[in-house]
């Protein structure tokens, strides 16, 4: 099967931004912000996006465009080592793990959207009366599995259309719609009494709170940044493999990161003022915060049912735009490494994810594990591997690829960028990974940093010496 390409630069940017702009921004971001100190989390998150996210995004772009292959083939062909192909295979595991819980949440959204649309004809949306109780009854079980299958079917339908007629065309419609609806809702919510308290919680910068909580929120903030930017799973390697050499990777990466962060902040400007305007605790509901707290707010205000339709339509579009990038990763691997046509590749993968996602939908404890520690760890490990590969296996070739199509200013940043992705950022990511597993709490911050630096140093020496052997 011949390798497809993006029809336009705008199509690539919107598709990559659509991959990043998803449930991570609208479902996970407000929930994680509420559970990690509000503005303190936001400050650390924005710092991580700038210092880790953008350079990491460029690293994946470099791999994808240079190899013009799927993640497995890209790492293997650029290194000349079959073991790097095995590392690339981790992206398939990550993508399937992501979709195994992501499609369940997508099913929740479809259900809430359906109930919102039919509410005016059935005496009101069912969740408005008792949001918490309603979410408890629909979030897991056979019905949740059924809606998960419906969401998967929509995702598969877009990916079946291919790069230009499916993914690019779909995201060209979805991304502007998401932005327009969020801007409109943010403007409306700003007029609600009590909204100022929501802005203060979300945007109020208090240095003392940040100092006291910086280390504790670093892990969640890093996981959130990777999740929202689709880093570590190979999505950006896959998407970059479809672009031409005339594109400026630094420019495209910066625009994508800006769009992604902007949508996350816009979502916060909708959710937090909405909750505070109704005196609802922003931490209500954990993973169900979007459905419990926001639904309660809709039920308490005039015109809430109409706003609910718009809100869940936005979330559904965002969920779909990210899900198609997750499915495209293993589809590209089956096509590039095994010569599969797109239709059977999509069909087989949908069948497998339908099974794994259904199990996740039936077992809340499994859902919590997959959606939290498993996915965060896989994304972090994946990005660490990509960064070390770019710096210590590609080396000067990475600088050449980075500079191709870039302007003079961006090209001058190539060497500092390579140092960052080869040393600084991997150490930060290893620290966050160790913190996630409780190492920092046991041995303290300085020891954790020292251990992380030693791990990265040993990995760099081994890769430099072996030139691609792991």
């Amino acid at each position: 099967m011949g390798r497809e390409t993006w029809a336009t630069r705008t199509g690539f940017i919107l598709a990559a931004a659509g991959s990043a702009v998803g449930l991570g921004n609208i479902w996970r971001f407000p929930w994680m912000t509420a559970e990690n100190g509000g503005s303190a989390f936001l400050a650390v998150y924005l710092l991580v996006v700038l210092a880790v996210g953008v350079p990491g995004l460029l690293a994946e772009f470099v791999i994808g465009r240079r190899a013009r292959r799927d993640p497995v083939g890209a790492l293997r062909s650029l290194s000349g080592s079959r073991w790097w192909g095995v590392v690339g295979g981790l992206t398939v595991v990550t993508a399937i793990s992501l979709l195994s819980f992501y499609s369940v949440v997508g099913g929740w959204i479809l259900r809430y959207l359906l109930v919102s649309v039919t509410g005016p004809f059935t005496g009101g949306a069912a969740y408005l009366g008792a949001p918490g109780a309603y979410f408890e009854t629909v979030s897991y079980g056979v019905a949740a599995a059924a809606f998960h299958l419906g969401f998967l079917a929509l995702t598969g339908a877009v990916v079946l259309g291919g790069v230009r007629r499916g993914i690019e065309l779909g995201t060209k419609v979805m991304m502007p719609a998401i932005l327009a609806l969020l801007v409109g809702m943010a403007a409306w919510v700003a007029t609600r009494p009590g909204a100022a308290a929501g802005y203060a919680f979300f945007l109020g910068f208090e240095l003392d709170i940040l100092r006291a909580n910086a280390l504790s929120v670093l892990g969640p903030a890093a996981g959130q940044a990777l999740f929202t930017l689709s880093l570590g799973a190979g999505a950006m390697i896959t998407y970059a493999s479809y672009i031409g050499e005339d594109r400026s990777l630094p420019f495209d990466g910066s625009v994508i990161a800006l769009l992604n962060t902007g949508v996350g902040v816009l979502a916060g400007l909708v959710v937090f003022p909405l909750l505070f305007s109704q005196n609802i605790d922003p931490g209500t509901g954990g993973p169900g915060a979007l459905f419990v707290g926001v639904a309660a707010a809709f039920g308490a205000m005039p015109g809430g049912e109409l706003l609910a339709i718009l809100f869940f339509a936005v979330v559904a579009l965002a969920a779909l735009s990210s899900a198609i990038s997750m499915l495209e990763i293993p589809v590209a691997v089956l096509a590039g490494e095994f010569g599969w046509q797109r239709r059977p590749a999509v069909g087989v993968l949908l069948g497998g994810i339908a099974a794994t996602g259904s199990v996740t939908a039936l077992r809340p404890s499994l859902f919590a594990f997959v959606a939290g520690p498993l996915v965060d760890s896989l994304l972090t490990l994946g990005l660490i591997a990509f960064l070390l590969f770019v710096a210590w296996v590609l080396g000067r070739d990475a600088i050449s690829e980075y500079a191709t199509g870039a302007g003079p200013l961006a090209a001058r940043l190539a060497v500092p960028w390579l140092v960052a992705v080869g040393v600084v950022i991997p150490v930060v990511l290893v620290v966050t990974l160790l913190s996630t597993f409780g190492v920092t709490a046991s041995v303290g911050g300085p020891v954790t940093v020292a251990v992380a630096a030693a791990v990265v140093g040993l990995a760099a020496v081994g890769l430099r010496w072996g030139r691609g052997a792991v």
Side-chain angles (χ1 to χ4, degrees):
M1 183 175 67
R3 189 156 194 81
E4 297 183 83
T5 59
W6 303 108
T8 63
R9 182 178 201 160
T10 301
F12 162 65
I13 290 176
L14 290 179
S19 171
V21 173
L23 292 181
N25 298 87
I26 303 177
W27 166 64
R28 201 173 189 257
F29 182 69
W31 155 41
M32 295 296 291
T33 302
E35 289 196 345
N36 291 281
S39 59
F41 176 85
L42 177 63
V44 176
Y45 166 77
L46 292 176
L47 179 62
V48 172
V49 167
L50 178 64
V52 177
V54 174
L57 195 62
L58 293 177
E60 293 202 27
F61 282 175
V62 163
I63 295 172
R65 189 174 71 173
R66 186 145 191 100
R68 298 191 183 281
R69 298 186 66 174
D70 59 90
V72 175
L75 295 183
R76 187 181 63 245
S77 64
L78 292 175
S79 67
S81 168
R82 61 187 179 89
W83 293 111
W84 272 110
V86 173
V87 174
L90 181 66
T91 62
V92 175
V93 176
T94 304
I96 292 174
S97 299
L98 278 164
L99 275 174
S100 295
F101 88 86
Y102 200 95
S103 58
V104 175
V105 183
W108 297 347
I109 294 163
L110 288 183
R111 184 164 191 164
Y112 271 73
L113 179 58
L114 178 63
V115 170
S116 300
V117 171
T118 59
F121 308 102
T122 59
Y127 58 79
L128 293 177
Y134 181 82
F135 180 74
E136 288 293 327
T137 62
V138 306
S139 53
Y140 304 101
V142 175
F147 275 91
H148 135 75
L149 295 177
F151 181 80
L152 267 186
L154 290 176
T155 304
V158 176
V159 175
L160 270 177
V163 173
R164 292 191 179 190
R165 292 180 301 160
I167 299 171
E168 183 171 352
L169 181 61
T171 51
K172 278 184 174 179
V173 174
M174 288 186 280
M175 280 301 299
I178 291 168
L179 290 170
L181 290 172
L182 277 177
V183 169
M185 291 179 66
W188 182 86
V189 170
T191 66
R192 306 301 302 169
Y199 295 132
F201 174 81
F202 183 48
L203 301 175
F205 183 79
E206 298 185 34
L207 186 58
D208 291 340
I209 295 178
L210 180 60
R211 285 173 177 168
N213 295 278
L215 287 177
S216 65
V217 303
L218 178 59
Q224 176 65 18
L226 268 59
F227 186 88
T228 59
L229 285 171
S230 293
L231 294 177
M236 294 306 176
I237 292 177
T238 305
Y239 276 13
S241 70
Y242 302 131
I243 65 177
E245 293 183 357
D246 59 330
R247 312 288 177 84
S248 170
L249 297 183
F251 176 82
D252 289 354
S254 299
V255 171
I256 291 163
L258 181 63
L259 280 173
N260 171 73
T261 305
V263 170
V265 173
L266 267 176
L269 293 177
V270 172
V271 171
F272 292 113
L274 183 65
L275 295 178
F276 276 88
S277 71
Q278 302 302 321
N279 296 314
I280 296 172
D281 181 359
T284 300
L290 180 72
F291 305 94
V292 178
V294 173
F298 289 147
M301 64 176 60
E305 289 190 76
L306 176 60
L307 188 63
I309 295 173
L310 296 176
F311 183 79
F312 287 115
V314 171
V315 181
L317 289 174
L320 187 59
S321 68
S322 285
I324 59 179
S325 72
M326 297 175 198
L327 184 57
E328 180 66 15
I329 298 167
V331 167
V333 170
L334 288 179
E337 303 308 306
F338 302 99
W340 286 42
Q341 296 296 312
R342 182 168 287 270
R343 184 174 296 276
V346 171
V348 168
L349 288 166
L350 285 182
I353 298 167
T356 57
S358 294
V359 174
T360 306
L362 295 172
R363 299 179 63 86
S365 59
L366 180 61
F367 176 92
F369 171 71
V370 174
L374 178 62
V375 163
D376 282 352
S377 299
L378 286 173
L379 292 175
T380 304
L381 286 170
L383 184 56
I384 290 170
F386 297 152
L387 295 178
L388 293 176
F389 179 87
V390 165
W392 301 105
V393 177
L394 290 183
R396 291 182 178 179
D397 289 339
I399 292 179
S400 174
E401 191 63 41
Y402 170 100
T404 300
L409 176 60
R412 283 197 291 270
L413 296 174
V415 173
W417 163 77
L418 193 66
V419 172
V421 301
V423 179
V424 181
I425 298 175
V427 170
V428 172
L429 292 175
V430 173
V431 168
T432 63
L433 197 61
L434 294 174
S435 299
T436 299
F437 289 101
V439 174
T440 303
S442 300
V443 303
V447 175
T448 303
V449 173
V451 170
V455 169
V456 172
L458 289 172
V461 169
L463 291 173
R464 189 66 178 172
W465 176 73
R467 293 298 297 174
V470 268

